[in-house]
Amino acid sequence: MPSALHRYKAEFFKALAHPLRLAILDALREGERSVSSLQRELSVPQSALSRQLALLRERGLVEARREGQMVYYRPRDPEVYAFLDLGRRIFARHLEAERDRLAALKEET
C-alpha cells in the first residue's frame, strides 16, 4: 500500500504533467502575475488558462490574490523551480546525447 508521501508525490507529478501548467509556472518565476498578463504571454484562451490555474491552485503549487476584479497568481513555494530546473538540465543532457549519437551515425556513413 503506497504511503501518504507516495500519494502526495504522485499528485504533485500529475499536477506538473501538462505543458501549459509548466509554462504557467515558468511565467510566474519572476513573481506575481495577473490572469490577463499570463493570457497575453502564453497566447491561450482564458478558459484553458483558468482551468490549469485552478488545478495548480488545488494542488498547492500556486496561490491567488484578488485586487478588485483582477486576480493575481504567484508560486506558493518557489522551491518548485529547483525541481523544474533539474528537469531542464536532464533534458539538455538528453539533447546533447542525441546530438552526439546523430553525429556518430553521420560519421559512419
Side-chain angles (χ1 to χ4, degrees):
M1 177 61 99
S3 68
L5 177 60
H6 288 121
R7 287 190 299 276
Y8 174 82
K9 286 179 181 179
E11 290 302 313
F12 175 81
F13 288 120
K14 278 192 233 176
L16 296 176
H18 192 283
L20 181 52
R21 291 193 290 265
L22 292 170
I24 291 167
L25 287 169
D26 277 334
L28 294 174
R29 273 181 187 267
E30 301 305 315
E32 188 174 80
R33 301 279 300 275
S34 70
V35 173
S36 58
S37 171
L38 288 169
Q39 184 182 5
R40 278 191 307 275
E41 180 177 333
L42 301 173
S43 301
V44 295
Q46 184 182 359
S47 59
L49 180 62
S50 293
R51 274 193 310 274
Q52 301 310 326
L53 283 166
L55 193 140
L56 288 169
R57 193 173 176 186
E58 288 170 13
R59 298 295 197 277
L61 291 168
V62 299
E63 53 191 11
R65 175 181 67 82
R66 182 175 288 280
E67 188 175 297
Q69 292 184 347
M70 300 289 288
V71 179
Y72 295 87
Y73 283 87
R74 64 184 168 268
R76 185 168 180 204
D77 184 348
E79 194 68 28
V80 71
Y81 294 111
F83 178 76
L84 295 179
D85 291 342
L86 175 61
R88 184 177 301 198
R89 288 192 304 271
I90 291 169
F91 179 64
R93 284 192 300 269
H94 170 75
L95 287 178
E96 187 176 332
E98 282 298 301
R99 186 195 70 210
D100 292 347
R101 185 183 69 78
L102 290 172
L105 286 174
K106 185 177 178 182
E107 288 175 4
E108 290 176 8
T109 58

